[in-house]
Amino acid sequence: MAEPRRVLFVCLGNIIRSPLGARLFEHKAAEAGLAEKYAVDSAGTGDWHVGEPPDERMVRTAARRGFHYTDRARQVKAADLDSFDLIIAMDPQNKLNLETLAQNAAQRAKIRLMREFDPQAGGDMSVPDPWYAGPNGFNDAYDIIERSVEKLLAELEAGRVTPA
Ligand code: 4NP
């Protein structure tokens, strides 16, 4: 068995967008019988919520759709850029912060945007941060994240995502 592909999802606080991205990707991979092929985690560029579980507004949004998950927030660290094969940023600001943390071109080449994989992105490259939005923000972010992780998994399986 080949080593699992290591995929890290990154947002700002690591309590709303990236924990959902990681756990939903993991869930979709498991449903497809691909659990062994992927090792998934998430992290935040900020440290305000380290140690906290996912935001309960997104947990409730997911539960209404039948998806249940939990996690524990942590801050991204420079070593993540070596130990993960692919790093998925939720918005361009997260990507910029990761690129600042990167120390070489190989690390930078691993960093991609979530919405590159959203078939309905239409040029909008952010998974909008629901922290500043109303209830619809959580539904919208969930939909974007679900579409994007499904496509990301399909693209990885098709060999069309080729990080370092
Ligand atoms: P996330 O959302 O980056 O999707 O986890 C946020 C959570 C908390 C804050 C900002 C964004 N905050 O400012 O504390």
Side-chain angles (χ1 to χ4, degrees):
M1 189 84 193
E3 285 287 300
R5 297 288 289 278
R6 293 177 54 81
V7 186
L8 182 69
F9 294 82
V10 176
C11 61
L12 177 60
N14 194 212
I15 53 170
I16 304 177
R17 294 165 295 170
S18 63
L20 178 69
R23 301 282 82 94
L24 202 49
F25 179 94
E26 196 171 60
H27 176 70
K28 304 266 176 195
E31 273 187 341
L34 302 169
E36 311 287 303
K37 288 182 71 174
Y38 297 96
V40 176
D41 197 9
S42 70
T45 58
D47 67 357
W48 312 283
H49 298 283
V50 167
E52 292 180 20
D55 188 292
E56 64 178 32
R57 293 166 295 176
M58 188 57 103
V59 170
R60 281 199 302 268
T61 299
R64 279 195 295 271
R65 295 149 184 259
F67 181 61
H68 302 272
Y69 70 109
T70 186
D71 216 323
R72 225 13 103 175
R74 73 171 179 89
Q75 189 173 25
V76 71
K77 52 186 189 290
D80 290 324
L81 298 166
D82 282 328
S83 60
F84 287 87
D85 304 312
L86 180 63
I87 298 161
I88 305 290
M90 294 297 132
D91 64 40
Q93 184 61 53
N94 304 148
K95 184 166 184 269
L96 205 58
N97 289 344
L98 288 164
E99 284 165 349
T100 304
L101 194 63
Q103 284 160 334
N104 56 55
Q107 292 180 341
R108 274 188 292 276
K110 297 176 177 182
I111 306 167
R112 304 282 295 267
L113 282 167
M114 184 73 138
R115 292 199 85 177
E116 287 179 47
F117 302 97
D118 178 6
Q120 295 178 36
D124 180 355
M125 286 297 123
S126 284
V127 180
D129 187 344
W131 185 259
Y132 305 103
N136 285 342
F138 287 85
N139 281 318
D140 292 348
Y142 189 98
D143 290 338
I144 292 168
I145 289 167
E146 184 170 43
R147 289 197 300 267
S148 301
V149 296
E150 284 175 352
K151 185 75 185 308
L152 172 61
L153 180 60
E155 293 285 293
L156 280 161
E157 285 298 306
R160 283 196 290 264
V161 187
T162 51

